[in-house]
Amino acid sequence: DAKTTQPTSMDCAEGRAANLPCNHSTISGNEYVYWYRQIHSQGPQYIIHGLKNNETNEMASLIITEDRKSSTLILPHATLRDTAVYYCIVRDNAGNMLTFGGGTRLMVKP
Amino acid sequence: GAGVSQTPSNKVTEKGKYVELRCDPISGHTALYWYRQSLGQGPEFLIYFQGTGAADDSGLPNDRFFAVRPEGSVSTLKIQRTERGDSAVYLCASSASPVREQYFGPGTRLTVT
C-alpha cells in the first residue's frame, strides 16, 4: 500500500469545520483513500472513502485533489465528541488489510 | 443492528500461559480481520479470513499465534506461551466483502504479567 503523511495533531474550535489533510503522493490508480477515526479506548470507526471523486456522507466530506496526491477530510461542524485520532489510509481494490500510520490527533475545544 | 463483538474485553494472564480471544463478526460478513494495537501506535494487521480459510496470515508475528474460523462466522485468536511483549489491544474487524469497508469491534486488552 502507498504510504500517507498526516500532521501529528490539530486543534479545532467546537462548531467550526475541521479540515484534516493527508498526503499520498505515491498513490496508484487502483488505490482508494479511506478515513477511519479512533476515539479513546474504542475500536477504529469507518468514516468515508473515495477513489477520485469527492464524497459526502452523514459524517463527513472527502475532497480528493485532481492528481489524487492529497486529500482532505472535512467535519463540517466539529463537536467535542469528534475528538479522536484520524487515520488516512490508501488501500488497493483487491481489499485485504488496512495499513494504519500514525494518524492525526484532533482535539476539539470548547 | 449488532456490531462486531469481542470477548473478553480484558484479559490478564501470566507469562507462559495460553489464551484465546473471541470475535463475533457482523452477521453475514464474509471477511474477518485481526489487528493488534500497542500503546500509542496505530493498529497492525495480523490475519485475514475470507469465509473459513485464512487468506492472508502474513502479519502473524511468529508461530505462537494462530487463528481459526471453522464455520465462517466466529473467529478465535489463540496465543501460546504468552510473553510480556504480547500485551496489547487485539482488534477484530469484519466486512461484507474484502473490498468493502471494515467495521471494528471494541477490542480485547491483553495484559501478560
Side-chain angles (χ1 to χ4, degrees):
Chain A
D1 287 354
K3 292 185 178 180
T4 62
T5 304
Q6 300 178 251
T8 303
S9 63
M10 291 181 63
D11 289 345
C12 177
E14 187 179 19
R16 303 297 295 269
N19 296 278
L20 292 93
C22 180
N23 288 320
H24 31 79
S25 58
T26 60
I27 193 169
S28 301
N30 65 345
E31 289 180 318
Y32 288 74
V33 180
Y34 278 77
W35 283 83
Y36 282 77
R37 72 180 182 183
Q38 190 169 25
I39 296 169
H40 184 61
S41 297
Q42 297 182 21
Q45 177 188 23
Y46 167 77
I47 301 173
I48 198 167
H49 74 281
L51 183 62
K52 52 184 177 182
N53 297 324
N54 297 338
E55 302 288 343
T56 296
N57 63 20
E58 65 278 6
M59 290 184 68
S61 295
L62 173 60
I63 308 298
I64 303 174
T65 58
E66 192 168 342
D67 64 7
R68 302 207 326 121
K69 293 185 177 183
S70 66
S71 60
T72 301
L73 179 75
I74 301 172
L75 308 178
H77 305 286
T79 71
L80 299 179
R81 288 176 295 180
D82 292 321
T83 292
V85 178
Y86 286 76
Y87 295 99
C88 170
I89 300 165
V90 294
R91 182 187 189 215
D92 67 33
N93 60 4
N96 300 330
M97 81 288 279
L98 299 169
T99 302
F100 290 82
T104 296
R105 185 172 299 276
L106 175 69
M107 179 74 71
V108 181
K109 298 183 174 181
Chain B
V4 178
S5 62
Q6 294 186 244
T7 54
S9 55
N10 281 282
K11 175 71 176 178
V12 181
T13 191
E14 293 180 347
K15 179 176 178 295
K17 298 292 187 182
Y18 167 84
V19 296
E20 290 189 350
L21 311 179
R22 176 187 169 107
C23 172
D24 283 81
I26 293 171
S27 179
H29 279 194
T30 60
L32 185 147
Y33 307 79
W34 284 98
Y35 295 82
R36 178 169 73 171
Q37 186 170 25
S38 299
L39 192 63
Q41 306 292 318
E44 294 180 314
F45 168 76
L46 295 176
I47 187 169
Y48 149 58
F49 288 89
Q50 177 56 36
T52 60
D56 184 351
D57 64 358
S58 62
L60 295 178
N62 52 59
D63 61 6
R64 295 187 297 105
F65 289 75
F66 189 72
V68 296
R69 195 186 186 199
E71 297 178 356
S73 177
V74 171
S75 177
T76 305
L77 178 66
K78 308 180 180 193
I79 309 174
Q80 298 177 321
R81 305 182 304 280
T82 53
E83 300 177 357
R84 293 193 180 88
D86 298 335
S87 296
V89 175
Y90 289 80
L91 294 160
C92 176
S94 70
S95 66
S97 78
V99 298
R100 296 286 301 275
E101 60 274 16
Q102 297 177 21
Y103 294 90
F104 284 78
T108 293
R109 181 175 299 278
L110 176 67
T111 303
V112 182
T113 62

